Amino acid sequence: ADSDDDEVRRHAQAALAALTRSADARLAARAQRMLTAGGRGVLALIWQGGGCVEFTDGRSEQIAGVHLQRCPGAASLLRRLRRLEALERLNLASCELNDECLSTVAELRGLKYLCLQSNPLTDVALEPVAQLEDLEALYLSTTKITDEGVSRLSGLSKLRVLWLNYTHVSDASIPVLVK
């Protein structure tokens, strides 16, 4: 796996090196800074998996969002994402994740937005999610989540958006969530 990581890093470095020659001075400067940044291994792996990233602002190399929708290798990337200190948004829709894959999500303390829709997740997957105290939006549509799982989310006081369509959640969960 380390040799694969090294190869991905080399490809990412080549891509960034090409961007440093861009006519867009801001893009070229960002690529140059990222080329020398310590987190380029994670970035390369995200790109290799077909994902994309959002940066905190136009001047920074800090990654605020990672979108791995439909990336089959997303499960192996999750443990590496904890290095991204500014990570606030994570999209893992349709990644074929199981409950076990999400055990490391609890380490992503700064997450505000988490999309897990269209994965075969059950109530067990919500145990680590329930530890994300800053979570404001959670998308669980088209999962196997039930009323029991949703009750685990009652401690998320900042949660304002919760999508549960095409789940096994009933109206009985509404009083638990409205508190």
Side-chain angles (χ1 to χ4, degrees):
D2 285 337
S3 64
D4 289 343
D5 287 357
D6 290 340
E7 182 178 343
V8 171
R9 280 189 198 97
R10 282 193 297 276
H11 287 292
Q13 287 174 332
L16 286 169
L19 287 174
T20 62
R21 296 184 293 277
S22 170
D24 181 338
R26 283 182 29 179
L27 179 61
R30 175 181 275 173
Q32 182 60 47
R33 287 189 304 265
M34 289 192 66
L35 198 53
T36 57
R40 67 180 177 267
V42 174
L43 183 62
L45 291 170
I46 292 167
W47 285 347
Q48 179 198 31
C52 63
V53 298
E54 297 174 51
F55 296 95
T56 53
D57 59 42
R59 299 177 314 272
S60 176
E61 294 78 48
Q62 289 191 310
I63 297 173
V66 174
H67 301 276
L68 296 169
Q69 185 170 355
R70 293 186 187 93
C71 292
S76 62
L77 278 173
L78 277 175
R79 65 183 168 81
R80 296 173 184 264
L81 294 180
R82 64 178 166 230
R83 293 186 228 167
L84 304 177
E85 296 173 5
L87 189 64
E88 293 182 347
R89 293 174 296 287
L90 181 58
N91 183 344
L92 298 168
S94 304
C95 289
E96 302 174 16
L97 298 176
N98 60 34
D99 298 337
E100 197 175 301
C101 296
L102 291 185
S103 62
T104 58
V105 166
E107 297 175 38
L108 304 174
R109 294 285 184 197
L111 278 186
K112 294 181 180 182
Y113 168 99
L114 180 59
C115 181
L116 298 171
Q117 67 189 30
S118 300
N119 284 295
L121 302 172
T122 69
D123 297 339
V124 174
L126 295 183
E127 290 174 20
V129 173
Q131 297 175 42
L132 299 172
E133 297 173 357
D134 290 332
L135 201 61
E136 296 173 5
L138 179 59
Y139 296 84
L140 297 170
S141 300
T142 321
T143 61
K144 299 175 183 178
I145 304 299
T146 69
D147 292 326
E148 181 183 333
V150 169
S151 68
R152 296 176 183 163
L153 303 176
S154 63
L156 296 176
S157 61
K158 296 180 182 178
L159 190 64
R160 297 292 177 254
V161 176
L162 179 61
W163 283 44
L164 296 167
N165 42 328
Y166 304 107
T167 63
H168 302 284
V169 177
S170 71
D171 290 347
S173 290
I174 294 172
V176 174
L177 294 171
V178 175
K179 289 182 185 179

